[in-house]
Amino acid sequence: MAADLLRLSLSPHFTTSGHRKLALRPHFHSPSPLPRRLRVLLPPAGAIRRSRGLIAAKAVDIGAPAGISSESEEKPANSSFLLDVNGMMCGACVSRVKGILSADERVESAVVNMLTETAAVRLKPEAAGGGSVAEDLAKRLSTCGFDAKPRVNGRGSWDVLHNSYVKGALALGALLGPGRDLLQDGLRAFVKGSPNMNSLVGFGSVAAFILSAVRPFLDKSVLQSLVCTHARLVITPSEMDSSAHAVLSSDAICIEVPTDDIRVGDNVLVLPGETIPVDDGPLKIAATSTGSNSTISKIIRMVEDAQSNEAPIQRLADSIAGPFVYSVMTLSLATLVFWSSIGAKVFPDVLLNEIAGPEGNPLVLGLKLAVDVLVVSCPCALGLATPTAILVGTSLGARQGLLLRGGDVLERLASIDFMAFDKTGTLTEGKPTVSAIASLAYDSSEILQLAAAVEKTTSHPLAKAILSKAESCGLHIPATRGQITEPGFGSLAEVDGRLVAVGALEWVSERFETKKRRSDITDLMQALRHESAKQTSSLDKSETTVYVGREGEGIIGAIAISDTLRHDAEFAIARLKELGIQTALLSGDREEAVASIGKIVGIESELVQASLSPRRKSQFISDIQASGCRIAMVGDGINDAPSLALADVGIALRTEAQETAASDAASIVLLGNRLSQVVDAVDLARATMSKVHQNLLWAVAYNVVAIPIAAGLLLPQFDFAMTPSLSGGLMALSSIFVVTNSLLLQLHGSNQEKKEQESEANVSLTSKF
């Protein structure tokens, strides 16, 4: 079977039987939930024979990772390794290097590639100490004039700085070294029953260290777990064409190496028995991006950017924090002045409280209460209220397959009143097929042939449907010149010396001086409906009509293209209505098709807009905003990009593996390509902002209550006054409450998933009856 080159991210998985499965994920595909993938069984060793690009299994050395043994045969550790070899200038150099390596009695076989400056060496089964053999052979090659060294795994000497154990050791050293006195003092004070600030700081530091040490074993990051760790690198001889159709030649060597060792241009082998999304045969993959350029790395950076982007409400909290500190300092000074002078005279009994000292000194009383005011006040809770909730919210969104371009997106989405949807590719699957072709003067195959010629250089889903139909009919697609595409309307090109236009009725008609009579257009539409009626109809189908016109004749034919409604479209619209959000349908398609879809999913007829150009879609968004409402736009194509950018929140479904104009313009990208994720996003945004408001309310309420008490409000009547240690403890607990309350947002994900499954099941059951 011919090898296919794919641009994919690799993620290894292992089964309990020892067979390895390698999941290949397209760029920007949803981390969660994972897509359904095709699984095939791994054939026994030696079962594969040379046929259609396959070779005997004995030529493939796929060595299992450490700790994983193959059922078919045990491979010695370090049986293969790579050497980086410099100085090879021609074929003679390659032969010389290969001869030096093969001459060693410990070497079973060697493959040398001059272009990649790499040598792969496989040792004999009885040979041991692969590392020492690699060093010996590298020195031997260097002595002969070819600078060589074993390939170093990972990032080199700097890799140690990324090691969790090294980080843990440094943190432990800081605690037991410079922090030892603080910990001891805090512990002694706590044991004696008089904890101080060192107790709080010490306990916090130890708790943070323990949490950091245990957390990697309990909760591995969902995004980081997608980063692949190993891949099978294929090394072919220099004289062999690496792009040949053979998956693996008999002279090639396949070595399992860390993914960090893969370089641009390297070939990676995926064998049968491993999880793949596109085929059940072996694939040879050319690495096109590694390290920080990989898709998962880009996703992680987007999440980090979102978490660092402040929401407007955070700027409000920040603006309050500054005046708050000065206000507390003023209140502290006022407390000192009041109790050291007027207060002690008005309420003389307060001097009997132990806080005034053994001699009942008003100055001591005022100083202690003033310190209590400074210590108990908590601007930290006010500052942490928003960013902690946003941090948890964006991380939870990433796990649900929602890429948020900034924490401010959550705040804007939580206040949405309207949500507008595109039709093709958004409410529908975006996989249209040609259902009927009609013409008053030409054969249907000629109409399809002309339309395919014009549409072959466009990427619109309708164009793909026309091309697919033409190819399935075996039609020859003529060459074109002067291709012009107007998004939202159609395409124009010169075919066989005459201009041909494909697109909306009015747009196609306006391209040519020759106009068809209205009666002819009506007859054409009736003929198309007749042809379409012959096909199997379904209530969940949306049909779009594309017209074909030619220079000197005007409109000469029409093509009906049907698309299937998304299975979760009705559920999503129903849930949004339950959340109090009005929905609208904006489409460039004809009125009948748009109205039909709007009725099926439950959008009010007055909010269903058909035959809209991209500009008119944007105008609808502007009109809603001018009325004082906030609107979100959901789309998937270039026609929707202006509206996505203009809306308060733009939401793009990810229907392609690569970035598109829609995803670039959107504030949220739905990696799962499910319409129900729109509801997930709204629920998450509202839950996150609810936590923000709870945190801010707590921060304000705490300070409003705690500061007056610390200033001695209860001292005259109840003889109660705070101590500095109590004030410090309350201040710390205030911040802990805010952080804990934000972390509880993680429970929203599991609860929401259960509710969504129940609601979707109810909608599905209702639709059946």
Side-chain angles (χ1 to χ4, degrees), residues 359-379:
E359 298 180 0
N361 192 317
L363 181 60
V364 173
L365 174 65
L367 284 173
K368 287 188 176 181
L369 292 178
V371 170
D372 285 341
V373 171
L374 291 175
V375 174
V376 81
S377 63
C378 190

Side-chain angles (χ1 to χ4, degrees), residues 311-314 390 407-416 685 689:
I313 197 171
Q314 172 63 28
I390 294 296
D408 56 324
V409 175
L410 288 173
E411 183 174 354
R412 286 187 274 118
L413 183 60
S415 61
I416 288 298
M689 295 314 299

Side-chain angles (χ1 to χ4, degrees), residues 537-590:
S537 61
S538 176
L539 293 177
D540 63 349
K541 294 285 185 180
S542 168
E543 196 168 76
T544 301
T545 301
V546 172
Y547 292 87
V548 180
R550 184 158 58 180
E551 186 178 10
E553 298 177 80
I555 293 177
I556 59 174
I559 302 175
I561 302 176
S562 62
D563 197 0
T564 305
L565 187 70
R566 286 181 181 268
H567 74 280
D568 56 353
E570 188 175 354
F571 159 77
I573 300 299
R575 284 287 291 121
L576 289 173
K577 288 184 176 180
E578 292 176 6
L579 295 174
I581 298 176
Q582 288 187 278
T583 55
L585 175 55
L586 311 179
S587 176
D589 204 352
R590 61 188 177 88

Side-chain angles (χ1 to χ4, degrees), residues 482-541:
Q483 181 78 32
I484 298 175
T485 299
E486 189 171 346
F489 295 100
S491 299
L492 180 73
E494 182 182 323
V495 182
D496 296 332
R498 286 199 288 177
L499 292 178
V500 177
V502 180
L505 175 61
E506 293 183 2
W507 186 84
V508 173
S509 181
E510 292 173 358
R511 298 311 99 187
F512 311 108
E513 294 181 0
T514 304
K515 309 292 183 183
K516 287 291 186 181
R517 291 178 300 178
R518 193 66 189 174
S519 59
D520 292 337
I521 299 297
T522 301
D523 292 342
L524 179 63
M525 295 175 65
Q526 290 178 350
L528 187 67
R529 291 194 190 100
H530 178 71
E531 290 294 326
S532 182
K534 296 179 181 178
Q535 305 295 327
T536 302
S537 61
S538 176
L539 293 177
D540 63 349
K541 294 285 185 180

